[in-house]
């Protein structure tokens, strides 16, 4: 139904959210069952003042964001997250991040999607998956 | 070993992190196997400009934070998150949030801890759990 | 709607499943938001022939079973599991197991419930939670 | 260290477990970061006497098994599961099942691996991931 949504429309929908603006989200690729985003590093992400790596909550937010919007060709919008899991693989040092989301299985009531976060060198930092509520909103 | 750490010391350790400052974290209670925190709402948390609720990534960060620091009497510090799960129960409307963390099972290599996020009226908004790496850092 | 279902009726529904018979499930307690079950140890559960502990898949099945049926006062039946997480805390040595399930949050479309597995001495062996599909089946 | 382990040796290690024998596990492929297994359907797996599908606990056990043994070229053995997540995608009707496991990220202390369960027609029934404890056992 929304399979004609363009990357520009998705970017516009995502940018409407103050939180997404704060994360500096840019949509860099969009396909039928996937999306690629970048996030712009900011000092407020840091958890360790000495070692300077990013808090896992930021990586969790990016996993959720990319998994959710991987569904956008089907949903036409961001949909509610029911639950999610994140696995942390390596410390995220200062620098922009890339997140790839992909649909695992889409249904009319709920869907499973997964995502990976990479640094600029392509190193895998975190990965995870979530369950999303895809039923149309009650009017 | 760290079981004599005080609430003031935990507050000081938490506040060292720029991300925790941005979340406005205050430690309001501390026990042998639990912690209670509050987070100060900010406009940047909002995901829906019309409906004004907070992005799930913020709730995930709070779950992770409270579960991690519930272990502090044992660890003496924040420890690396190995993985985590978050379940979303209700939309988080603008306002400060309370997060309660509790140790499920602590071991010398890793530990399981859980947390719940509540709004000011005591409504449960999200809950979850994580696995934490509790082995001492290599010197 | 099903809040008058009795422990005998729940036992009968559970026992209809060949897998539940194989696990030797007995319902030992039932409340508005919880259930307690026991499972009868069998040799086929063993994963390590020397150390004799039970495979994690059996504990996962018991977590799922107790979390699902903790909802039975609301659902009147076992409902589909959407996803689940299990954390393993200690090796399950030969012997019957007790599983306690509890509703975390119930909704008209889906619900979150959690469960813990204990050995005969009351030691916590595993815990976890799942998301369950609680919408009425289409007729 | 164990990267020279053969498919026959892995089959022998897996078959030592009574639970794996009960599941009828056969190793059908093995690579540096993955494994493929089949499981032989049995009547005891059934949860619904009318609709005849398999209990989710069996699918969870298969996910855990394949994710764990996907690590065998690194570990040389089955290793303890720390935690796992399973997502259910479709009802598993009677018939043998195929499970594919793959390493997401391996470390010296713990590792993340994922797996998918398929029916004979190649339909995806369930998928998931786990955290495994890969540190060498204390002697």
């Amino acid at each position: 139904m929304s399979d004609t949504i363009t990357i520009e429309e998705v970017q516009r929908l995502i940018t409407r959210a103050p939180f997404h603006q704060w994360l500096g989200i840019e949509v860099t690729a969009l396909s039928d069952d996937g999306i690629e985003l970048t996030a712009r590093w900011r000092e407020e992400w840091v958890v360790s003042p000495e070692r300077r790596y990013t808090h896992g909550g930021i990586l969790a937010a990016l996993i959720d964001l990319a998994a959710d919007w991987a569904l956008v060709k089907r949903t036409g919008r961001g949909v509610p997250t029911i639950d999610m899991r994140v696995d942390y693989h390596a410390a995220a040092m200062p620098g922009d991040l890339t997140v790839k989301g992909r649909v695992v299985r889409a249904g009319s009531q709920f869907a499973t999607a997964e995502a990976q976060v990479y640094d600029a060198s392509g190193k895998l930092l975190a990965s995870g998956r979530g369950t999303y509520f895809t039923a149309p909103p009650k009017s």
Side-chain angles (χ1 to χ4, degrees), chain A:
Chain A
M1 209 180 317
S2 303
D3 58 2
T4 57
I5 199 167
T6 63
I7 194 169
E8 290 77 19
E9 288 168 320
V10 172
Q11 177 72 63
R12 190 182 57 77
L13 287 171
I14 285 180
T15 304
R16 292 182 70 246
F19 187 60
H20 297 164
Q21 291 171 26
W22 185 78
L23 290 170
I25 301 298
E26 279 189 49
V27 186
T28 50
L30 181 69
S31 67
D32 278 0
D33 66 350
I35 197 164
E36 190 181 294
L37 312 167
T38 58
R40 206 173 43 240
W41 183 82
R42 42 193 316 156
E43 181 67 33
E44 295 96 325
W45 292 2
V46 171
V47 62
S48 162
E50 291 84 17
R51 297 179 49 203
R52 306 276 298 147
Y53 51 83
T54 286
H55 195 279
I58 296 293
L59 305 184
L62 295 176
I63 294 278
D64 181 34
L65 227 165
D68 192 328
W69 289 87
L71 293 155
V72 72
K73 285 275 189 178
R74 290 165 169 87
T75 57
R77 63 198 165 97
V79 291
T81 309
I82 297 177
D83 63 63
M84 96 169 139
R85 175 188 172 106
V86 182
D87 293 271
Y88 296 99
H89 305 310
M93 304 312 295
D96 295 352
L97 298 173
T98 296
V99 204
K100 296 182 185 179
R102 193 183 71 84
V103 179
V104 173
R105 189 224 167 231
S108 59
Q109 303 288 313
F110 51 89
T112 307
E114 63 178 19
Q116 293 85 34
V117 181
Y118 301 91
D119 69 11
S121 75
K123 184 178 183 181
L124 180 67
L125 305 177
S127 61
R129 43 176 43 208
T131 299
Y132 295 89
F133 188 58
T134 53
K138 285 168 192 153
S139 55

